[in-house]
Structure formats: structure tokens, C-alpha cells
């Protein structure tokens, strides 16, 4: 006999625990909210205490204030997570001949070493439960170079490699690892760049988008953080269990050229 009063199925990430680095702003915030919306309990990690706290409040999760450049701070983060979203990042723009070495090194620490340390820390839990999802927020700059972004391009290419190794090692344990690789996304960081470039070049913000930032993108629009989060969520969902070791460009066709 069938009943119409059967309880609805729980959301697909019900019972899963996620950690999102750089979750206090932009793409990380959108990922934290999307994962929470799908039922996960979310740890929001950021060096910005206010951002982390506010997003953890929105997501019904927990905030952790940590500077990912500091290995001791990384070692204080939860290890028992099922879903790891390596998202925190920063940019520095300068020609190679003038690039400050300490800035280069910091970018590698936050965007390569911290993801490595977090994988090392969380994979044993995922392996023990025979299920895990790792999504690394890379960039079109994990696949293509631009001048003046040596540290960022080097770090994102390294993250793409690290993600593939995690895919190969994780596969026998039910763990997938993938990258999402966006072009320009409408975050506070990019909106600031648009204003700055408009002032520098004496052109309108709309011209900055089409002629400068999106010059190599056939689709002339910024992505929204929620569009990146939707791809991240899909990579954590039931339809993508066989998708591993990939880089999913969300780049308006940039890498097709
Ligand atoms: P954002 O500046 O809005 O957010 C980045 C977050 O990371 C911030 O909350 C910041 O406090 C945190 N963070 C930075 N350094 C940290 C550290 N040492 N320890 C802890 N937290 C730290 O930027 P976003 O645009 O949302 O970028 C998120 C990710 O997406 C980055 O990895 C970035 O490279 C990538 N990405 C962004 C774009 C874009 O156009 N915005 C495009 C492609 C890839």
C-alpha cells in the first residue's frame, strides 16, 4: 500500500560535513551557502573574522578564523570533513622583474601549500568513510597565462596538478577531486579592479569589461559567484561520482580560443 504522507527525501548532502576556505567572501561565500542549502554542515574558514562569522551565520555553520599562510593555523582546522573546498586566494600584479619574492612565496603558501596540508589532514577521514569530495577553486589562469600574474598563474597551475594527484590517489577510496576554473567573477575583488582600470585608462567600467578583463572571453559578461557555486555543488552531488581529475572551465569560451 502506498501512502501520500511519506516524508520527503532529505537533501542530498544531509549528514555531510563541508569545509570552505576563504568562505567569508565572494565565491567561497556562495559555495558555503549552496552546500548548506543542500543539507551539509559547513565550516567557514577565513582570515577575515567578520566575513567568516557572517557567512557561518547565514549558512547555519561554524566559523574558523585562520590565516592559511600559517601551517599551525591550518593544523588547528577540523580534520573530520567529507567535503573540502579549497577556495581561498589572493592576487598580486607586477612584472616578473619587479615581483616581490615574499609576495610570490605567500601566494604559493596560501594557494598551494595550504590546499596540500588540508588534503593531507582531511583525506584520512574521507578514506575511512569511503566517500569524499574535493573541489579546488582554480581559475582560467590554472589553464592559461596572463602577463604580470606570475605568482597567481604558477599557483593555479600547481593546484590543477595537485587536484589530479588527489583524484588518482582518492579513487580507490570513493573520493573525487576536481577543479572549477572560472574566468572573471563578479566579486568585490573584481569590482574594485574594474573601477581602478576605468580610472587608469580613462574609459568606462563597461569598456573595462569588454576591452580589458574580457578581451579573451567570447562571452562578454562576468560570472556570478552563484554560477561557480552551482558547478561546485554538482561536483559534490550524486550525478558526478565518476567525474574526477577534471578541470571544469567556466570561462565564457576563453580556453576554446
Ligand atoms: P575574495 O577576495 O572575494 O575572497 C577570497 C577570500 O579568501 C577572502 O574572504 C579572503 O579573506 C580569504 N583569504 C585570502 N587569503 C587568506 C588567508 N591567507 N587565509 C585565510 N583566508 C584568506 O575573492 P574571490 O573572487 O571570491 O576568490 C575566491 C577564489 O576564486 C580564489 O582562489 C580566486 O583565485 C578564485 N577565482 C576568482 C575569480 C574572480 O574573478 N573573482 C576568477 C577565477 C578564480
Amino acid at each position: 500500500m502506498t501512502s501520500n504522507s511519506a516524508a520527503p527525501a532529505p537533501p542530498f548532502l544531509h549528514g555531510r560535513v563541508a569545509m570552505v576556505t576563504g568562505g567569508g567572501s565572494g565565491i567561497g561565500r556562495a559555495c558555503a551557502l549552496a552546500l548548506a542549502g543542500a543539507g551539509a554542515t559547513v565550516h567557514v574558514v577565513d582570515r577575515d573574522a567578520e566575513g567568516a562569522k557572517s557567512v557561518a551565520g547565514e549558512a547555519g555553520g561554524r566559523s574558523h578564523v585562520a590565516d592559511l599562510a600559517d601551517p599551525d593555523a591550518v593544523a588547528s582546522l577540523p580534520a573530520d570533513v567529507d567535503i573540502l573546498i579549497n577556495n581561498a586566494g589572493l592576487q598580486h600584479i607586477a612584472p616578473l622583474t619587479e615581483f616581490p619574492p615574499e609576495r610570490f612565496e605567500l601566494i604559493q603558501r596560501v594557494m598551494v601549500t595550504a590546499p596540500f596540508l588540508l588534503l593531507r589532514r582531511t583525506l584520512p577521514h574521507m578514506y575511512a568513510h569511503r566517500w569524499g569530495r574535493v573541489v579546488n577553486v582554480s581559475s582560467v589562469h590554472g589553464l592559461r597565462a596572463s602577463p604580470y600574474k606570475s605568482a597567481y598563474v604558477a599557483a593555479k597551475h600547481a593546484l590543477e596538478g595537485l587536484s589530479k594527484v588527489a583524484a588518482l590517489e582518492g579513487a580507490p577510496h570513493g573520493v573525487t577531486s576536481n577543479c572549477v576554473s572560472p574566468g572573471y567573477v563578479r566579486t568585490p575583488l573584481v569590482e574594485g579592479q574594474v573601477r581602478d582600470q576605468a580610472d587608469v585608462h580613462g574609459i568606462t567600467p563597461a569598456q573595462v569589461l569588454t576591452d580589458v578583463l574580457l578581451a579573451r572571453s567570447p562571452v562578454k559578461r562576468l560570472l556570478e559567484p552563484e554560477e561557480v557555486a552551482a558547478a561546485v555543488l554538482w561536483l559534490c552531488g550524486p550525478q558526478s561520482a565518476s567525474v574526477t581529475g577534471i578541470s571544469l572551465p567556466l570561462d565564457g569560451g576563453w580556453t576554446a580560443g
Side-chain angles (χ1 to χ4, degrees), residues 22 24-27 46-48 66-69 87-89 110 137-139 152 156 182-185 187-190:
S25 171
I27 294 168
D46 210 292
R47 69 176 167 188
D48 168 21
D67 180 355
L68 295 166
N87 166 76
V110 175
V137 180
S138 178
S139 162
Y152 187 88
K156 290 300 192 189
Y184 284 99
V185 184
T187 66
L189 195 88
V190 168

Side-chain angles (χ1 to χ4, degrees), residues 89-93 103 107 111 141 148-149 151-152 189 193:
L90 67 159
Q91 179 63 279
H92 187 96
I93 296 175
R103 200 75 187 149
I107 288 175
M111 291 166 57
H141 285 112
Y148 314 126
K149 296 185 175 177
Y152 187 88
L189 195 88
Q193 275 187 47

Side-chain angles (χ1 to χ4, degrees), residues 183-186 209-210 213-214 217-225 227 250-252:
Y184 284 99
V185 184
R186 192 188 311 280
L209 281 185
T210 50
L213 296 190
L214 301 177
S217 172
V219 178
K220 302 288 181 195
R221 61 177 279 271
L222 293 177
L223 275 161
E224 301 300 330
E227 294 179 270
L250 304 168
D251 65 356

Side-chain angles (χ1 to χ4, degrees), residues 63-157:
S63 65
H64 302 263
V65 182
D67 180 355
L68 295 166
D70 173 5
D72 289 338
V74 176
S76 73
L77 294 172
D80 51 348
V81 304
D82 309 299
I83 299 169
L84 171 64
I85 313 296
N86 281 314
N87 166 76
L90 67 159
Q91 179 63 279
H92 187 96
I93 296 175
L96 273 168
T97 48
E98 289 161 28
F99 211 98
E102 62 284 358
R103 200 75 187 149
F104 186 93
E105 207 257 331
L106 171 70
I107 288 175
Q108 310 315 306
R109 256 190 293 151
V110 175
M111 291 166 57
V112 185
T113 306
F116 158 71
L117 291 173
L118 286 171
L119 280 167
R120 201 169 177 279
R121 190 163 169 72
T122 58
L123 284 176
H125 172 90
M126 298 185 206
Y127 290 179
H129 292 81
R130 307 213 52 78
W131 192 93
R133 295 289 177 266
V134 178
V135 184
N136 299 295
V137 180
S138 178
S139 162
V140 69
H141 285 112
L143 307 168
R144 295 288 185 274
S146 289
Y148 314 126
K149 296 185 175 177
S150 56
Y152 187 88
V153 170
K156 290 300 192 189
H157 276 68

